[in-house]
Amino acid sequence: RTAARALINAGRAEVRLGRADAALAALDAAEGELDASGAAGDDASILDRLTIAAVALEAAQKWPDRLERAYDAVRRASTAADGAGARDRSWALGLEGELYAAAGREEEALTLYRRAALAAEAAAAPEVLYRWQWRVGRILAGRGQTEEAIAAYRSAAANLDTVRLDLPAFDPQTGRSLFRETLGPVFTELADLLLERADGEAASRPGESRESAQADLIEARGTVERLKTIELEDYFRDDCAADLSARVRPIDQPEPGTAVLYPVLLEDRTELVVSLPDGSLTSASSDAGSSRITLLAQQLRAAIDGADGTLGDFAPPARALYDELIRPIEPALLAQNVQTLVFIPDGVLRNIPLSVLLDGDTFLVQRFAVATGIGLSLLDTSPIQRDNLNILVAGLSEERQDVPIGPGRTETFDALPGVETELRALESAVAPEVELMNAGFTAEALREELTETPFNVVHLATHGWFTGDPDYSFVLAYDEPLKMNELEEIIGISRFRDQPIELLTLSACQTAAGDDRSALGLAGVAVKVGARSAFATLWNIADESTVEVVTSFYDNLVQPGVNKAEALRRAQLELIASGGQLAHPYFWSPYLIIGNWL
């Protein structure tokens, strides 16, 4: 039986590698092992048969000519599950439904999915039930039965909500999260239906259906919010986001002059849902689907981050993304005199600085202060107390060697000579209370200082390394990398005080250009450690521009009436206006305000 399970895992891996013959050979061998074991009716062998059927169906979806092989596996699984418990029967019925759906026989598939859902309900198994409700919703949506489809998706999302942290959403071969592919569509497809219904109501009954269209937009926004929270929990593999969202005030209406944009990347289009200063929601569509947006975002990042040692022509993708993401909502922004634009980016959009989008020759940041959020329910909108800044700064300017950055991988992190200049500039700008430098910047020294003193700004001028794996995402202290859990323990001390960390600054961060989960780690660091917001970079850049941007940011932040987003905007505009090398987006665009922008 151990051999059978190893072969099943091998078959699943071969499917994902695109090797059909090797995948099916492994599944055949697994079935042979089960036949030879003689244990045909026990729970473990039934589960193994069901798993083989599920993998065979996954293969048939990739290679339709292998549908007959999937049929054989499903038939064997159904026979094994006959007379078994309700949970196993639910799986068997649902897999039969998958088989009929793959063959284009929707009516039979729908009947089987519904029977599978009834069996899952009888077994009190929401981790199975959501799947069949989701499949029912898909078929109904394809038939144009929107009301019934939305009801099915709502039920699926509600059941998934109760069990999401218990579901395996990782590739056992690579350890990579499969959440976005396996579970995320429940939420994105529900949001898609709600947005389509809202658009249809507005078009068919202009002026009469505002209330119902607003209700659909609000529910769609809430569905996207749930997805953002779950993605963060999935990244950190705990419920940290839910814990934080329980302690902050949800936002039903942005601050005056502020709009919040949710781009929802769908296969055939991008929906732009906007929360406006007057409390209303509006939406607009771009014809560019997720593949087009992903390509443009990748081109933009490659042109401006210098990862390959060169800087490319960023203007074409920057203009194209402006046309797809901003131009459709421009009238609404202008009508309400929006000055601050908060993005809740989706997927690959987390990996680019949206401030660099171009309207002709005008950068977005020249028109709006720009901030980034994970979700409005994860933000605390209390403004920073400028008259009571108590700042701790810590810096590492020396090279550190053999730092683990992944399984069996180490990296040498170069010296950061500009860190000392940066800290000297901060001394004159904001007069920090405590400074830890090089050998003085250890994990224990940082812990002691934060335990003894209620700092509300923590500025770390050191390498930050963010990957798709939180176990290898860290901020580098002199003696060790501070991983996310350690950083949470040290900096999170403040969350139990009346005055938490207002701002966590990470002035030399780096995220992987092709991995939007690495940017999720950067975006989630403030949530993880309990800070209201973070000031960080998408990539590590030249020391000269770092000193200029960071110093100008703090100089502006202490001015009355200047929020964090506007303080960053002014610092970036100074570099743009310089007209020299530092005017290139490589130097000023990767700086982000993440979380509370006030």
Side-chain angles (χ1 to χ4, degrees), residues 243-244 247 446-447 450-451 455 458 483-497 499-501 504 525-531:
D243 174 66
L244 181 66
R247 295 185 287 106
L446 186 63
R447 180 182 288 106
L450 288 168
T451 300
F455 295 100
V458 175
K483 297 179 181 178
M484 291 298 98
N485 286 338
E486 296 168 283
L487 208 60
E488 176 186 26
E489 183 222 335
I490 294 172
I491 297 181
I493 293 167
S494 68
R495 73 173 64 192
F496 303 109
R497 297 178 174 141
Q499 188 177 33
I501 299 295
L504 171 66
V525 65
V527 174
K528 182 69 170 170
V529 306

PDB file of all heavy atoms in Angstrom, residues 243-244 247 446-447 450-451 455 458 483-497 499-501 504 525-531:
ATOM      1  N   ASP A 243      -6.742  37.172  12.343  1.00  0.00           N
ATOM      2  CA  ASP A 243      -6.533  37.706  13.678  1.00  0.00           C
ATOM      3  C   ASP A 243      -6.431  39.224  13.640  1.00  0.00           C
ATOM      4  O   ASP A 243      -7.012  39.925  14.456  1.00  0.00           O
ATOM      5  CB  ASP A 243      -5.248  37.118  14.266  1.00  0.00           C
ATOM      6  CG  ASP A 243      -4.889  37.735  15.613  1.00  0.00           C
ATOM      7  OD1 ASP A 243      -5.652  37.524  16.567  1.00  0.00           O
ATOM      8  OD2 ASP A 243      -3.862  38.427  15.689  1.00  0.00           O
ATOM      9  N   LEU A 244      -5.700  39.748  12.650  1.00  0.00           N
ATOM     10  CA  LEU A 244      -5.568  41.197  12.559  1.00  0.00           C
ATOM     11  C   LEU A 244      -6.885  41.846  12.163  1.00  0.00           C
ATOM     12  O   LEU A 244      -7.287  42.847  12.737  1.00  0.00           O
ATOM     13  CB  LEU A 244      -4.491  41.582  11.549  1.00  0.00           C
ATOM     14  CG  LEU A 244      -4.290  43.101  11.428  1.00  0.00           C
ATOM     15  CD1 LEU A 244      -3.725  43.674  12.714  1.00  0.00           C
ATOM     16  CD2 LEU A 244      -3.403  43.446  10.262  1.00  0.00           C
ATOM     17  N   ARG A 247      -9.185  42.936  14.690  1.00  0.00           N
ATOM     18  CA  ARG A 247      -8.816  44.018  15.597  1.00  0.00           C
ATOM     19  C   ARG A 247      -8.854  45.387  14.945  1.00  0.00           C
ATOM     20  O   ARG A 247      -8.540  46.379  15.599  1.00  0.00           O
ATOM     21  CB  ARG A 247      -7.399  43.771  16.131  1.00  0.00           C
ATOM     22  CG  ARG A 247      -7.272  42.537  16.982  1.00  0.00           C
ATOM     23  CD  ARG A 247      -5.870  42.417  17.573  1.00  0.00           C
ATOM     24  NE  ARG A 247      -4.896  42.031  16.561  1.00  0.00           N
ATOM     25  CZ  ARG A 247      -4.006  42.865  16.031  1.00  0.00           C
ATOM     26  NH1 ARG A 247      -3.975  44.116  16.381  1.00  0.00           N
ATOM     27  NH2 ARG A 247      -3.160  42.450  15.124  1.00  0.00           N
ATOM     28  N   LEU A 446      17.381  44.106  19.170  1.00  0.00           N
ATOM     29  CA  LEU A 446      16.122  44.642  18.665  1.00  0.00           C
ATOM     30  C   LEU A 446      14.963  44.260  19.582  1.00  0.00           C
ATOM     31  O   LEU A 446      14.112  45.087  19.911  1.00  0.00           O
ATOM     32  CB  LEU A 446      15.874  44.119  17.248  1.00  0.00           C
ATOM     33  CG  LEU A 446      14.673  44.693  16.500  1.00  0.00           C
ATOM     34  CD1 LEU A 446      14.834  46.197  16.274  1.00  0.00           C
ATOM     35  CD2 LEU A 446      14.488  43.983  15.152  1.00  0.00           C
ATOM     36  N   ARG A 447      14.958  43.010  20.037  1.00  0.00           N
ATOM     37  CA  ARG A 447      13.901  42.549  20.946  1.00  0.00           C
ATOM     38  C   ARG A 447      13.917  43.346  22.255  1.00  0.00           C
ATOM     39  O   ARG A 447      12.874  43.766  22.749  1.00  0.00           O
ATOM     40  CB  ARG A 447      14.082  41.056  21.229  1.00  0.00           C
ATOM     41  CG  ARG A 447      13.013  40.486  22.172  1.00  0.00           C
ATOM     42  CD  ARG A 447      13.256  39.022  22.475  1.00  0.00           C
ATOM     43  NE  ARG A 447      12.971  38.175  21.323  1.00  0.00           N
ATOM     44  CZ  ARG A 447      13.895  37.592  20.570  1.00  0.00           C
ATOM     45  NH1 ARG A 447      15.193  37.779  20.848  1.00  0.00           N
ATOM     46  NH2 ARG A 447      13.566  36.843  19.546  1.00  0.00           N
ATOM     47  N   LEU A 450      12.568  46.982  21.747  1.00  0.00           N
ATOM     48  CA  LEU A 450      11.127  47.050  21.500  1.00  0.00           C
ATOM     49  C   LEU A 450      10.320  46.602  22.710  1.00  0.00           C
ATOM     50  O   LEU A 450       9.172  47.002  22.872  1.00  0.00           O
ATOM     51  CB  LEU A 450      10.766  46.197  20.277  1.00  0.00           C
ATOM     52  CG  LEU A 450      11.224  46.777  18.933  1.00  0.00           C
ATOM     53  CD1 LEU A 450      11.086  45.759  17.815  1.00  0.00           C
ATOM     54  CD2 LEU A 450      10.424  48.035  18.582  1.00  0.00           C
ATOM     55  N   THR A 451      10.915  45.783  23.550  1.00  0.00           N
ATOM     56  CA  THR A 451      10.233  45.367  24.778  1.00  0.00           C
ATOM     57  C   THR A 451      10.192  46.501  25.784  1.00  0.00           C
ATOM     58  O   THR A 451       9.185  46.715  26.473  1.00  0.00           O
ATOM     59  CB  THR A 451      10.943  44.151  25.398  1.00  0.00           C
ATOM     60  OG1 THR A 451      10.933  43.070  24.472  1.00  0.00           O
ATOM     61  CG2 THR A 451      10.250  43.705  26.685  1.00  0.00           C
ATOM     62  N   PHE A 455       8.097  52.170  20.810  1.00  0.00           N
ATOM     63  CA  PHE A 455       8.372  52.853  19.550  1.00  0.00           C
ATOM     64  C   PHE A 455       7.154  52.744  18.640  1.00  0.00           C
ATOM     65  O   PHE A 455       6.484  51.715  18.592  1.00  0.00           O
ATOM     66  CB  PHE A 455       9.579  52.234  18.856  1.00  0.00           C
ATOM     67  CG  PHE A 455      10.866  52.402  19.616  1.00  0.00           C
ATOM     68  CD1 PHE A 455      11.378  51.371  20.382  1.00  0.00           C
ATOM     69  CD2 PHE A 455      11.553  53.606  19.576  1.00  0.00           C
ATOM     70  CE1 PHE A 455      12.555  51.517  21.088  1.00  0.00           C
ATOM     71  CE2 PHE A 455      12.737  53.776  20.277  1.00  0.00           C
ATOM     72  CZ  PHE A 455      13.233  52.723  21.047  1.00  0.00           C
ATOM     73  N   VAL A 458       9.556  51.930  13.269  1.00  0.00           N
ATOM     74  CA  VAL A 458      10.748  51.076  13.251  1.00  0.00           C
ATOM     75  C   VAL A 458      11.314  51.123  11.841  1.00  0.00           C
ATOM     76  O   VAL A 458      10.635  50.751  10.871  1.00  0.00           O
ATOM     77  CB  VAL A 458      10.420  49.623  13.651  1.00  0.00           C
ATOM     78  CG1 VAL A 458      11.655  48.738  13.500  1.00  0.00           C
ATOM     79  CG2 VAL A 458       9.900  49.578  15.084  1.00  0.00           C
ATOM     80  N   LYS A 483      13.407  35.746  10.120  1.00  0.00           N
ATOM     81  CA  LYS A 483      12.304  35.239   9.318  1.00  0.00           C
ATOM     82  C   LYS A 483      10.996  35.850   9.801  1.00  0.00           C
ATOM     83  O   LYS A 483      10.924  36.482  10.852  1.00  0.00           O
ATOM     84  CB  LYS A 483      12.266  33.715   9.392  1.00  0.00           C
ATOM     85  CG  LYS A 483      13.510  33.057   8.814  1.00  0.00           C
ATOM     86  CD  LYS A 483      13.440  31.545   8.923  1.00  0.00           C
ATOM     87  CE  LYS A 483      14.702  30.905   8.375  1.00  0.00           C
ATOM     88  NZ  LYS A 483      14.677  29.419   8.512  1.00  0.00           N
ATOM     89  N   MET A 484       9.949  35.631   9.007  1.00  0.00           N
ATOM     90  CA  MET A 484       8.683  36.291   9.286  1.00  0.00           C
ATOM     91  C   MET A 484       8.155  35.985  10.679  1.00  0.00           C
ATOM     92  O   MET A 484       7.670  36.876  11.375  1.00  0.00           O
ATOM     93  CB  MET A 484       7.642  35.909   8.235  1.00  0.00           C
ATOM     94  CG  MET A 484       7.915  36.459   6.851  1.00  0.00           C
ATOM     95  SD  MET A 484       7.912  38.272   6.772  1.00  0.00           S
ATOM     96  CE  MET A 484       9.665  38.617   6.875  1.00  0.00           C
ATOM     97  N   ASN A 485       8.235  34.733  11.112  1.00  0.00           N
ATOM     98  CA  ASN A 485       7.730  34.398  12.444  1.00  0.00           C
ATOM     99  C   ASN A 485       8.552  35.064  13.537  1.00  0.00           C
ATOM    100  O   ASN A 485       8.014  35.506  14.560  1.00  0.00           O
ATOM    101  CB  ASN A 485       7.713  32.880  12.644  1.00  0.00           C
ATOM    102  CG  ASN A 485       6.602  32.202  11.875  1.00  0.00           C
ATOM    103  OD1 ASN A 485       5.609  32.831  11.522  1.00  0.00           O
ATOM    104  ND2 ASN A 485       6.765  30.918  11.601  1.00  0.00           N
ATOM    105  N   GLU A 486       9.873  35.149  13.339  1.00  0.00           N
ATOM    106  CA  GLU A 486      10.728  35.812  14.316  1.00  0.00           C
ATOM    107  C   GLU A 486      10.465  37.315  14.332  1.00  0.00           C
ATOM    108  O   GLU A 486      10.417  37.940  15.401  1.00  0.00           O
ATOM    109  CB  GLU A 486      12.194  35.532  13.996  1.00  0.00           C
ATOM    110  CG  GLU A 486      12.585  34.074  14.116  1.00  0.00           C
ATOM    111  CD  GLU A 486      13.959  33.799  13.521  1.00  0.00           C
ATOM    112  OE1 GLU A 486      14.083  33.736  12.288  1.00  0.00           O
ATOM    113  OE2 GLU A 486      14.909  33.652  14.310  1.00  0.00           O
ATOM    114  N   LEU A 487      10.303  37.884  13.148  1.00  0.00           N
ATOM    115  CA  LEU A 487      10.005  39.313  13.069  1.00  0.00           C
ATOM    116  C   LEU A 487       8.670  39.615  13.739  1.00  0.00           C
ATOM    117  O   LEU A 487       8.518  40.630  14.427  1.00  0.00           O
ATOM    118  CB  LEU A 487       9.984  39.736  11.600  1.00  0.00           C
ATOM    119  CG  LEU A 487      10.336  41.187  11.279  1.00  0.00           C
ATOM    120  CD1 LEU A 487      11.738  41.521  11.746  1.00  0.00           C
ATOM    121  CD2 LEU A 487      10.204  41.432   9.781  1.00  0.00           C
ATOM    122  N   GLU A 488       7.708  38.711  13.547  1.00  0.00           N
ATOM    123  CA  GLU A 488       6.405  38.880  14.192  1.00  0.00           C
ATOM    124  C   GLU A 488       6.550  38.861  15.709  1.00  0.00           C
ATOM    125  O   GLU A 488       5.966  39.674  16.421  1.00  0.00           O
ATOM    126  CB  GLU A 488       5.461  37.767  13.750  1.00  0.00           C
ATOM    127  CG  GLU A 488       4.103  37.819  14.444  1.00  0.00           C
ATOM    128  CD  GLU A 488       3.239  36.624  14.091  1.00  0.00           C
ATOM    129  OE1 GLU A 488       3.784  35.564  13.741  1.00  0.00           O
ATOM    130  OE2 GLU A 488       2.011  36.756  14.177  1.00  0.00           O
ATOM    131  N   GLU A 489       7.356  37.924  16.213  1.00  0.00           N
ATOM    132  CA  GLU A 489       7.527  37.810  17.659  1.00  0.00           C
ATOM    133  C   GLU A 489       8.215  39.052  18.239  1.00  0.00           C
ATOM    134  O   GLU A 489       7.830  39.562  19.292  1.00  0.00           O
ATOM    135  CB  GLU A 489       8.365  36.565  17.976  1.00  0.00           C
ATOM    136  CG  GLU A 489       8.540  36.307  19.461  1.00  0.00           C
ATOM    137  CD  GLU A 489       9.955  35.889  19.829  1.00  0.00           C
ATOM    138  OE1 GLU A 489      10.675  35.346  18.979  1.00  0.00           O
ATOM    139  OE2 GLU A 489      10.316  36.149  20.986  1.00  0.00           O
ATOM    140  N   ILE A 490       9.233  39.572  17.506  1.00  0.00           N
ATOM    141  CA  ILE A 490      10.006  40.703  18.025  1.00  0.00           C
ATOM    142  C   ILE A 490       9.236  42.013  17.887  1.00  0.00           C
ATOM    143  O   ILE A 490       9.021  42.737  18.869  1.00  0.00           O
ATOM    144  CB  ILE A 490      11.358  40.804  17.286  1.00  0.00           C
ATOM    145  CG1 ILE A 490      12.233  39.584  17.613  1.00  0.00           C
ATOM    146  CG2 ILE A 490      12.086  42.088  17.669  1.00  0.00           C
ATOM    147  CD1 ILE A 490      13.505  39.499  16.776  1.00  0.00           C
ATOM    148  N   ILE A 491       8.807  42.320  16.671  1.00  0.00           N
ATOM    149  CA  ILE A 491       8.134  43.605  16.445  1.00  0.00           C
ATOM    150  C   ILE A 491       6.689  43.550  16.919  1.00  0.00           C
ATOM    151  O   ILE A 491       6.118  44.557  17.341  1.00  0.00           O
ATOM    152  CB  ILE A 491       8.213  43.982  14.951  1.00  0.00           C
ATOM    153  CG1 ILE A 491       9.689  44.176  14.559  1.00  0.00           C
ATOM    154  CG2 ILE A 491       7.426  45.251  14.657  1.00  0.00           C
ATOM    155  CD1 ILE A 491       9.906  44.576  13.120  1.00  0.00           C
ATOM    156  N   GLY A 492       6.097  42.349  16.889  1.00  0.00           N
ATOM    157  CA  GLY A 492       4.699  42.211  17.279  1.00  0.00           C
ATOM    158  C   GLY A 492       4.427  42.464  18.746  1.00  0.00           C
ATOM    159  O   GLY A 492       3.259  42.480  19.166  1.00  0.00           O
ATOM    160  N   ILE A 493       5.483  42.647  19.531  1.00  0.00           N
ATOM    161  CA  ILE A 493       5.290  43.003  20.945  1.00  0.00           C
ATOM    162  C   ILE A 493       4.380  44.217  21.066  1.00  0.00           C
ATOM    163  O   ILE A 493       3.557  44.332  21.970  1.00  0.00           O
ATOM    164  CB  ILE A 493       6.661  43.293  21.613  1.00  0.00           C
ATOM    165  CG1 ILE A 493       7.503  42.012  21.680  1.00  0.00           C
ATOM    166  CG2 ILE A 493       6.483  43.896  23.001  1.00  0.00           C
ATOM    167  CD1 ILE A 493       8.965  42.258  22.031  1.00  0.00           C
ATOM    168  N   SER A 494       4.491  45.115  20.096  1.00  0.00           N
ATOM    169  CA  SER A 494       3.759  46.381  20.173  1.00  0.00           C
ATOM    170  C   SER A 494       2.258  46.215  20.017  1.00  0.00           C
ATOM    171  O   SER A 494       1.489  47.080  20.411  1.00  0.00           O
ATOM    172  CB  SER A 494       4.261  47.336  19.082  1.00  0.00           C
ATOM    173  OG  SER A 494       3.900  46.839  17.808  1.00  0.00           O
ATOM    174  N   ARG A 495       1.819  45.096  19.419  1.00  0.00           N
ATOM    175  CA  ARG A 495       0.395  44.963  19.142  1.00  0.00           C
ATOM    176  C   ARG A 495      -0.448  44.872  20.410  1.00  0.00           C
ATOM    177  O   ARG A 495      -1.650  45.059  20.383  1.00  0.00           O
ATOM    178  CB  ARG A 495       0.137  43.751  18.235  1.00  0.00           C
ATOM    179  CG  ARG A 495       0.291  42.414  18.894  1.00  0.00           C
ATOM    180  CD  ARG A 495      -0.149  41.292  17.965  1.00  0.00           C
ATOM    181  NE  ARG A 495       0.695  41.227  16.783  1.00  0.00           N
ATOM    182  CZ  ARG A 495       0.391  40.494  15.716  1.00  0.00           C
ATOM    183  NH1 ARG A 495      -0.712  39.804  15.683  1.00  0.00           N
ATOM    184  NH2 ARG A 495       1.213  40.452  14.694  1.00  0.00           N
ATOM    185  N   PHE A 496       0.191  44.551  21.526  1.00  0.00           N
ATOM    186  CA  PHE A 496      -0.534  44.445  22.783  1.00  0.00           C
ATOM    187  C   PHE A 496      -0.541  45.752  23.564  1.00  0.00           C
ATOM    188  O   PHE A 496      -1.024  45.819  24.685  1.00  0.00           O
ATOM    189  CB  PHE A 496       0.065  43.316  23.631  1.00  0.00           C
ATOM    190  CG  PHE A 496       0.051  41.996  22.914  1.00  0.00           C
ATOM    191  CD1 PHE A 496       1.224  41.422  22.446  1.00  0.00           C
ATOM    192  CD2 PHE A 496      -1.145  41.340  22.663  1.00  0.00           C
ATOM    193  CE1 PHE A 496       1.208  40.218  21.762  1.00  0.00           C
ATOM    194  CE2 PHE A 496      -1.166  40.129  21.979  1.00  0.00           C
ATOM    195  CZ  PHE A 496       0.010  39.567  21.530  1.00  0.00           C
ATOM    196  N   ARG A 497       0.028  46.816  22.955  1.00  0.00           N
ATOM    197  CA  ARG A 497       0.015  48.124  23.583  1.00  0.00           C
ATOM    198  C   ARG A 497      -1.079  48.977  22.963  1.00  0.00           C
ATOM    199  O   ARG A 497      -1.614  48.673  21.908  1.00  0.00           O
ATOM    200  CB  ARG A 497       1.366  48.815  23.380  1.00  0.00           C
ATOM    201  CG  ARG A 497       2.538  48.081  24.047  1.00  0.00           C
ATOM    202  CD  ARG A 497       3.843  48.801  23.746  1.00  0.00           C
ATOM    203  NE  ARG A 497       4.949  48.204  24.491  1.00  0.00           N
ATOM    204  CZ  ARG A 497       6.176  48.034  24.006  1.00  0.00           C
ATOM    205  NH1 ARG A 497       6.447  48.426  22.779  1.00  0.00           N
ATOM    206  NH2 ARG A 497       7.116  47.483  24.741  1.00  0.00           N
ATOM    207  N   GLN A 499      -0.580  51.809  21.715  1.00  0.00           N
ATOM    208  CA  GLN A 499      -0.004  52.469  20.556  1.00  0.00           C
ATOM    209  C   GLN A 499       0.869  51.472  19.786  1.00  0.00           C
ATOM    210  O   GLN A 499       2.021  51.230  20.124  1.00  0.00           O
ATOM    211  CB  GLN A 499       0.845  53.670  20.970  1.00  0.00           C
ATOM    212  CG  GLN A 499       1.308  54.507  19.786  1.00  0.00           C
ATOM    213  CD  GLN A 499       2.095  55.725  20.243  1.00  0.00           C
ATOM    214  OE1 GLN A 499       2.794  55.684  21.242  1.00  0.00           O
ATOM    215  NE2 GLN A 499       1.998  56.810  19.495  1.00  0.00           N
ATOM    216  N   PRO A 500       0.341  50.842  18.725  1.00  0.00           N
ATOM    217  CA  PRO A 500       1.118  49.866  17.975  1.00  0.00           C
ATOM    218  C   PRO A 500       2.150  50.539  17.081  1.00  0.00           C
ATOM    219  O   PRO A 500       2.244  51.764  17.026  1.00  0.00           O
ATOM    220  CB  PRO A 500       0.047  49.160  17.134  1.00  0.00           C
ATOM    221  CG  PRO A 500      -0.973  50.233  16.903  1.00  0.00           C
ATOM    222  CD  PRO A 500      -0.987  51.053  18.168  1.00  0.00           C
ATOM    223  N   ILE A 501       2.917  49.751  16.366  1.00  0.00           N
ATOM    224  CA  ILE A 501       3.847  50.291  15.379  1.00  0.00           C
ATOM    225  C   ILE A 501       3.038  50.968  14.276  1.00  0.00           C
ATOM    226  O   ILE A 501       2.205  50.357  13.622  1.00  0.00           O
ATOM    227  CB  ILE A 501       4.728  49.179  14.773  1.00  0.00           C
ATOM    228  CG1 ILE A 501       5.577  48.501  15.846  1.00  0.00           C
ATOM    229  CG2 ILE A 501       5.615  49.752  13.672  1.00  0.00           C
ATOM    230  CD1 ILE A 501       6.602  49.384  16.499  1.00  0.00           C
ATOM    231  N   LEU A 504       6.495  50.575   9.664  1.00  0.00           N
ATOM    232  CA  LEU A 504       7.684  49.733   9.565  1.00  0.00           C
ATOM    233  C   LEU A 504       8.341  50.050   8.227  1.00  0.00           C
ATOM    234  O   LEU A 504       7.744  49.850   7.170  1.00  0.00           O
ATOM    235  CB  LEU A 504       7.294  48.252   9.625  1.00  0.00           C
ATOM    236  CG  LEU A 504       8.415  47.251   9.320  1.00  0.00           C
ATOM    237  CD1 LEU A 504       9.499  47.309  10.398  1.00  0.00           C
ATOM    238  CD2 LEU A 504       7.851  45.835   9.204  1.00  0.00           C
ATOM    239  N   VAL A 525       3.956  41.755   5.232  1.00  0.00           N
ATOM    240  CA  VAL A 525       4.845  41.842   6.380  1.00  0.00           C
ATOM    241  C   VAL A 525       4.275  42.747   7.466  1.00  0.00           C
ATOM    242  O   VAL A 525       4.381  42.446   8.662  1.00  0.00           O
ATOM    243  CB  VAL A 525       6.267  42.283   5.954  1.00  0.00           C
ATOM    244  CG1 VAL A 525       6.273  43.700   5.404  1.00  0.00           C
ATOM    245  CG2 VAL A 525       7.240  42.161   7.119  1.00  0.00           C
ATOM    246  N   ALA A 526       3.636  43.870   7.072  1.00  0.00           N
ATOM    247  CA  ALA A 526       3.062  44.764   8.081  1.00  0.00           C
ATOM    248  C   ALA A 526       1.937  44.059   8.837  1.00  0.00           C
ATOM    249  O   ALA A 526       1.815  44.181  10.059  1.00  0.00           O
ATOM    250  CB  ALA A 526       2.545  46.042   7.428  1.00  0.00           C
ATOM    251  N   VAL A 527       1.103  43.312   8.096  1.00  0.00           N
ATOM    252  CA  VAL A 527       0.030  42.552   8.739  1.00  0.00           C
ATOM    253  C   VAL A 527       0.614  41.528   9.689  1.00  0.00           C
ATOM    254  O   VAL A 527       0.150  41.365  10.821  1.00  0.00           O
ATOM    255  CB  VAL A 527      -0.840  41.862   7.668  1.00  0.00           C
ATOM    256  CG1 VAL A 527      -1.862  40.946   8.311  1.00  0.00           C
ATOM    257  CG2 VAL A 527      -1.543  42.902   6.808  1.00  0.00           C
ATOM    258  N   LYS A 528       1.632  40.834   9.241  1.00  0.00           N
ATOM    259  CA  LYS A 528       2.228  39.754  10.033  1.00  0.00           C
ATOM    260  C   LYS A 528       2.764  40.266  11.364  1.00  0.00           C
ATOM    261  O   LYS A 528       2.566  39.622  12.397  1.00  0.00           O
ATOM    262  CB  LYS A 528       3.351  39.100   9.223  1.00  0.00           C
ATOM    263  CG  LYS A 528       4.037  37.928   9.917  1.00  0.00           C
ATOM    264  CD  LYS A 528       3.139  36.738  10.046  1.00  0.00           C
ATOM    265  CE  LYS A 528       3.908  35.507  10.503  1.00  0.00           C
ATOM    266  NZ  LYS A 528       3.012  34.388  10.853  1.00  0.00           N
ATOM    267  N   VAL A 529       3.453  41.400  11.347  1.00  0.00           N
ATOM    268  CA  VAL A 529       4.084  41.880  12.577  1.00  0.00           C
ATOM    269  C   VAL A 529       3.187  42.813  13.379  1.00  0.00           C
ATOM    270  O   VAL A 529       3.558  43.256  14.463  1.00  0.00           O
ATOM    271  CB  VAL A 529       5.431  42.581  12.285  1.00  0.00           C
ATOM    272  CG1 VAL A 529       6.338  41.673  11.492  1.00  0.00           C
ATOM    273  CG2 VAL A 529       5.225  43.904  11.563  1.00  0.00           C
ATOM    274  N   GLY A 530       2.000  43.127  12.849  1.00  0.00           N
ATOM    275  CA  GLY A 530       1.079  43.976  13.596  1.00  0.00           C
ATOM    276  C   GLY A 530       1.314  45.457  13.428  1.00  0.00           C
ATOM    277  O   GLY A 530       0.873  46.255  14.252  1.00  0.00           O
ATOM    278  N   ALA A 531       2.030  45.856  12.348  1.00  0.00           N
ATOM    279  CA  ALA A 531       2.226  47.284  12.075  1.00  0.00           C
ATOM    280  C   ALA A 531       1.082  47.797  11.208  1.00  0.00           C
ATOM    281  O   ALA A 531       0.509  47.064  10.410  1.00  0.00           O
ATOM    282  CB  ALA A 531       3.556  47.505  11.357  1.00  0.00           C
TER     283      ALA A 531
END
